[in-house]
Amino acid sequence: MNKKGLLIILSGPSGVGKGTVRKELMKDPSLHLFFSVSMTTRGIRPGEMDGREYYFVSKEEFQRNIDNGNLLEWAEFVGNRYGTPKDKVEQMREEGKNVLLEIETKGTAKVLAKCPDALSIFLMPPSLKDLENRIRGRKTEPEAVIEERLAKARAELPLASKYQHVVLNDTVERAASEIASIIKTALGE
Ligand code: ADP
Ligand code: 5GP
């Protein structure tokens, strides 16, 4: 029998670099890390693929998944809904896979209430100015949405203290390496 996989929550404001750091982390096969693909009602960005970054669904389909109890948690973020498919996460953990959830702060609280043994990590930008530069540099959102995401970030940053670990995303390699150490310690390695 496999040991049940670890549940890892990676949060942090939009544009801090969660996706980038996650991709770096997933290059390390020794972490046995699997990304939980969330469901969202937001539109697909250039370069994203349905089923890889997210399952892109209609508002109606998202509501059906809530009604059918398919989501471990879900939250509204700047006008769209995002949720974690429950069965997939459980199945991967039962197979001994360490599962990474990349979710915002409200969803984190819901997951921690249900799975108190989850490892929680908040990725922090060096400054708000750096965060703004990163969101703008990504060129994926119109100005109004960027402003909303920055306002949301200002509200989310103080919630970092609710997480077991706060990791500074100064460089992708250093942040990923710090998170890898945190995961290995949690795994008892
Ligand atoms: P998130 O998933 O948190 O919304 P992304 O991973 O999409 O953020 O990163 C947002 C932008 O910031 C991307 O253009 C990415 O290349 C850049 N970025 C990520 N980490 C760093 C870093 N440590 N230094 C500079 N730019 C970064
Ligand atoms: P984005 O639109 O930038 O991909 O994501 C917006 C925010 O939603 C990010 O903070 C991201 O981590 C979060 N998010 C993505 N998937 C989920 C999810 O399944 N549940 C919750 N609660 N948040 C999510």
Side-chain angles (χ1 to χ4, degrees):
M1 255 280 284
N2 276 326
K3 188 169 165 238
K4 193 171 175 180
L6 183 66
L7 187 60
I8 303 154
I9 301 170
L10 181 64
S11 275
S14 174
V16 67
K18 297 180 294 297
T20 310
V21 170
R22 182 235 313 160
K23 283 178 194 135
E24 183 67 23
L25 270 174
M26 294 193 65
K27 289 182 191 164
D28 181 350
S30 74
L31 295 174
H32 206 51
L33 209 55
F34 292 78
F35 176 55
S36 160
V37 180
S38 292
M39 195 171 283
T40 185
T41 60
R42 100 152 149 67
I44 190 163
R45 291 175 186 151
E48 288 183 329
M49 208 172 85
D50 189 31
R52 188 179 62 191
E53 278 78 11
Y54 287 105
Y55 297 107
F56 295 93
V57 300
S58 64
K59 287 180 180 154
E60 292 73 22
E61 195 175 342
F62 198 100
Q63 188 60 48
R64 268 197 299 279
N65 276 280
I66 297 175
D67 295 342
N68 294 336
N70 295 343
L71 301 178
L72 175 63
E73 62 73 37
W74 68 272
E76 191 122 4
F77 184 93
V78 190
N80 286 300
R81 285 177 169 188
Y82 298 79
T84 305
K86 188 165 66 184
D87 292 353
K88 199 73 198 288
V89 169
E90 199 44 36
Q91 186 196 330
M92 288 195 284
R93 291 186 71 197
E94 287 299 335
E95 290 167 1
K97 296 171 174 167
N98 299 319
V99 179
L100 184 84
L101 306 184
E102 208 178 291
I103 62 176
E104 50 67 75
T105 47
K106 290 193 294 292
T108 299
K110 292 182 202 162
V111 174
L112 288 175
K114 288 184 185 171
C115 316
D117 55 343
L119 178 67
S120 61
I121 301 168
F122 190 94
L123 199 58
M124 188 65 104
S127 68
L128 272 172
K129 191 65 204 165
D130 283 297
L131 183 68
E132 183 171 348
N133 291 341
R134 287 179 193 178
I135 299 188
R136 289 192 193 286
R138 192 169 65 189
K139 296 189 167 61
T140 48
E141 275 88 19
E143 182 57 29
V145 176
I146 289 176
E147 293 296 336
E148 279 186 283
R149 284 181 176 242
L150 285 171
K152 183 86 178 170
R154 283 181 213 106
E156 283 184 316
L157 289 178
L159 300 175
S161 62
K162 306 254 182 222
Y163 288 70
Q164 286 166 309
H165 300 274
V166 179
V167 173
L168 180 70
N169 183 16
D170 44 5
T171 71
V172 176
E173 293 73 21
R174 200 212 57 79
S177 148
E178 186 178 341
I179 294 173
S181 299
I182 290 169
I183 294 173
K184 285 182 177 163
T185 302
L187 291 170
E189 290 172 7

